[in-house]
Amino acid sequence: MRAFLDLGRQPLSDAFPREGETDGEFFYRLVVGACADCSMVQLLEEVPRERMFREDYPYYSSGSSVMREHFAETAKDLVYTELTGGDPFIVELGCNDGIMLETVRAAGIRHLGFEPSSGVARVARDKGVRVVTEFFEESTAKAVRAEDGPADVIYSANTFCHIPYVASVLRGADALLGPDGVFVFEDPYLGDIVEKTSFDQIYDEHFFLFSATSVKAMAERFGFELVDVRRLPVHGGEVRYTLARAGRRVPSRAVGELLAAERDDGLHEPATLAGFAAAVARVRDDLVALLRELRDGGHRVVAYGATAKSATVANYCGIGPDLVAYVCDTTPAKQHRLTPGTHIPVRPAHVFQDAYPDYALLFAWNHSQEIMAKEQGFREAGGRWIQYVPDVRVV
């Protein structure tokens, strides 16, 4: 495994300490490497899963109207294209607050969600979604197979890339899926990350940065075949991959097209990844220079969206309360706390509207359209957005 990007000492991206309770923060080294044999891109230091996916895990998928619509459409797509047999059964890894499975449940389809973070799992149960508060792996998959029978679909969104122990997950998928079952997962796409210099997609939870090339190689090691891919616009650019047992489905044309595009673009070439690392450093330098210039000029700057991604940006760039007064966020579990590592105060969203700043650093850039439509008053009052993907600019 060849390291190509070092983002330095980083905290848990979704652990927001209270003021006065920062001494015990957990830190690790965020370094990214690439395998010369299988093209997999991944973190080189693993964070224990129990530290990340805790009872107080603060991310709720239903917090975004865009994601609510996305998962409702995804559920309908799976129901009508994959769950065609009698008494179908779908399993989701990392079901969060039940945003996708509630549509499946409403359709009267047997389902089960795996969600190890008990807080969000309770929210899913309150919606009538069937959930187990466990990690999906070979042993738990076999237990479900024994109780519920084979699954037609195993689905995962922004979860499979979190899991370093892919061997156990894929063996679990093999044990749980029926003969013609499929494993469908969507995660941030390496191609988009490199193209957009969206290095904040790299943090503790995103252990793997998948591509069609690396997923194909991974699947083949466990008797699966990559049979479909679909580019998705959500979360700054993702791909939905579909795996089936080898020989059970004819791969779609889209698979060959994306594999060819990755080869033609040199996505996995050392020079491409080195160029990405250099672009990341330029973004850091430009962003810090801009924030210092605004501070020294007497301008008030706040940030918008206390996202997991923002932990990478703030800690890599050294952005603290001296440069950004506070971060506003709609998630109650994050409010009145501090950002991981850099300890910028997190305030409720209404604080932003109560007294508009001069500039707002848009950490939640992947929801920019939704946010800017909501915050038109900020622009009308003369406020300006700072963005850093794909480069640093004032909007």
Side-chain angles (χ1 to χ4, degrees):
M1 189 66 66
R2 180 186 67 255
F4 65 87
L5 177 63
D6 187 342
L7 293 169
R9 185 171 178 263
Q10 292 280 345
L12 297 174
S13 61
D14 263 319
F16 291 79
R18 298 182 187 278
E19 193 158 353
E21 298 179 358
T22 60
D23 290 345
E25 278 188 285
F26 175 87
F27 287 88
Y28 70 105
R29 195 77 181 175
L30 183 55
V31 181
V32 190
C35 176
D37 295 327
C38 69
S39 301
M40 185 65 77
V41 173
Q42 67 177 73
L43 305 191
L44 299 188
E45 184 173 329
E46 178 183 343
V47 175
R49 63 187 187 180
E50 293 81 6
R51 285 189 175 273
M52 294 185 288
F53 307 112
R54 315 166 306 278
E55 179 179 2
D56 62 346
Y57 186 67
Y59 179 74
Y60 289 77
S61 299
S62 296
S64 164
S65 61
V66 171
M67 296 312 297
R68 290 196 298 271
E69 180 179 351
H70 170 73
F71 284 119
E73 290 302 316
T74 297
K76 293 173 185 175
D77 188 34
L78 292 174
V79 167
Y80 292 115
T81 62
E82 299 292 352
L83 304 180
T84 55
D87 192 26
F89 180 40
I90 182 169
V91 173
E92 182 176 9
L93 315 188
C95 70
N96 198 259
D97 58 9
I99 187 172
M100 193 282 290
L101 285 180
E102 61 182 314
T103 300
V104 174
R105 181 201 61 80
I109 292 172
R110 284 196 305 136
H111 64 275
L112 179 66
F114 278 80
E115 180 47 67
S117 300
S118 57
V120 290
R122 281 195 296 271
V123 176
R125 289 195 186 97
D126 289 343
K127 297 176 180 178
V129 172
R130 184 179 169 222
V131 183
V132 292
T133 311
E134 296 178 348
F135 290 97
F136 183 92
E137 50 200 340
E138 185 175 11
S139 60
T140 53
K142 288 180 176 179
V144 171
R145 174 69 181 253
E147 181 175 346
D148 294 285
D152 298 270
V153 173
I154 297 174
Y155 172 74
S156 164
N158 306 300
T159 298
F160 189 39
C161 72
H162 295 184
I163 304 174
Y165 51 96
V166 290
S168 183
V169 172
L170 289 169
R171 284 196 292 264
D174 183 46
L176 180 54
L177 286 171
D180 293 313
V182 290
F183 180 21
V184 181
F185 60 96
E186 54 194 66
D187 284 299
Y189 178 49
L190 175 65
D192 283 312
I193 293 169
V194 170
E195 179 184 353
K196 300 174 183 178
T197 319
S198 52
F199 68 95
D200 58 351
Q201 294 277 35
I202 305 168
Y203 52 92
D204 53 351
E205 295 176 12
H206 288 177
F207 188 80
F208 292 107
L209 305 178
F210 290 132
S211 66
T213 302
S214 62
V215 167
K216 179 177 183 294
M218 174 180 65
E220 289 172 351
R221 293 187 178 191
F222 296 91
F224 287 97
E225 187 175 9
L226 178 61
V227 296
D228 197 21
V229 293
R230 184 188 301 181
R231 300 289 293 270
L232 302 172
V234 296
H235 284 311
E238 297 194 335
V239 170
R240 180 180 296 162
Y241 305 92
T242 300
L243 306 186
R245 288 194 170 85
R248 304 297 293 199
R249 292 196 183 192
V250 176
S252 70
R253 178 181 297 179
V255 173
E257 291 174 345
L258 189 53
L259 289 170
E262 292 176 358
R263 183 174 58 253
D264 293 343
D265 293 342
L267 179 59
H268 302 92
E269 295 295 326
T272 301
L273 299 177
F276 168 66
V280 169
R282 285 194 298 272
V283 168
R284 175 197 60 198
D285 295 345
D286 291 347
L287 181 56
V288 172
L290 173 62
L291 293 175
R292 287 175 177 170
E293 178 184 344
L294 294 175
R295 178 197 61 192
D296 295 345
H299 297 288
R300 184 164 171 263
V301 181
V302 307
Y304 201 106
T307 62
K309 297 191 299 297
S310 66
T312 295
V313 178
N315 285 273
Y316 175 62
C317 299
I319 300 171
D322 60 319
L323 296 175
V324 171
Y326 66 83
V327 184
C328 67
D329 197 274
T330 58
T331 308
K334 299 178 182 179
Q335 295 165 3
H336 309 295
R337 291 176 177 256
L338 303 173
T339 58
T342 53
H343 307 154
I344 303 170
V346 182
R347 301 289 181 250
H350 71 80
V351 174
F352 182 74
Q353 299 171 347
D354 291 345
Y356 285 130
D358 301 311
Y359 293 83
L361 175 59
L362 187 55
F363 280 146
W365 58 266
N366 52 307
H367 297 295
S368 60
Q369 287 186 322
E370 183 179 356
I371 290 169
M372 289 183 181
K374 175 184 175 183
E375 300 293 357
Q376 290 183 23
F378 172 57
R379 185 155 44 186
E380 292 168 358
R384 306 180 75 182
W385 296 99
I386 300 171
Q387 299 195 39
Y388 54 87
V389 176
D391 49 32
V392 177
R393 63 202 184 281
V394 176
V395 181

